[in-house]
Amino acid sequence: SSDLLISILLPGALPIYAGGPSWDYVFNVLAFVVEAGGIVAILSWRRWGLYLMTLAYLTEVFVDFVYYTPRPSIAEGLANLALFLLLVWAVSRKWSHFR
């Protein structure tokens, strides 16, 4: 996601990530790698790519809502959920092509 990439390249740029846990930078790098791997796998018609994207999405939501005092807005969470559901819907239409 773009938030992850921005927080990796410019750690102080997003105020939502200020005051987070000390391991947040490493978590964001790992989450970005998992998401990128999931996208590559989906483009290669690998079923586990969707599983990686689901894992990354759920862990990011958990970390954002548990470890940050100024929680992300509900609108941001709903927008991310809508995009994630759109991805699942788009992939599920072609699920029989996946290995």
Side-chain angles (χ1 to χ4, degrees), residues 1-14 17 25 27-29 31-33 35-36 60:
S1 100
S2 61
D3 285 354
L4 285 177
L5 186 57
I6 292 171
S7 69
I8 291 168
L9 297 175
L10 304 166
L14 295 174
Y17 292 113
Y25 184 80
F27 172 77
N28 283 341
V29 170
F32 183 77
V33 169
E35 284 185 9
E60 289 169 25

Side-chain angles (χ1 to χ4, degrees), residues 48-93:
W48 52 266
L50 187 60
Y51 300 141
L52 276 181
M53 294 296 291
T54 302
L55 176 70
Y57 175 75
L58 292 176
T59 56
E60 289 169 25
V61 167
F62 177 78
V63 167
D64 284 352
F65 281 96
V66 170
Y67 290 100
Y68 290 100
T69 301
R71 308 243 184 303
S73 69
I74 291 175
E76 180 183 349
L78 289 176
N80 286 338
L81 179 62
L83 290 174
F84 178 72
L85 292 175
L86 183 63
L87 170 71
V88 170
W89 172 78
V91 168
S92 67
R93 292 178 48 228

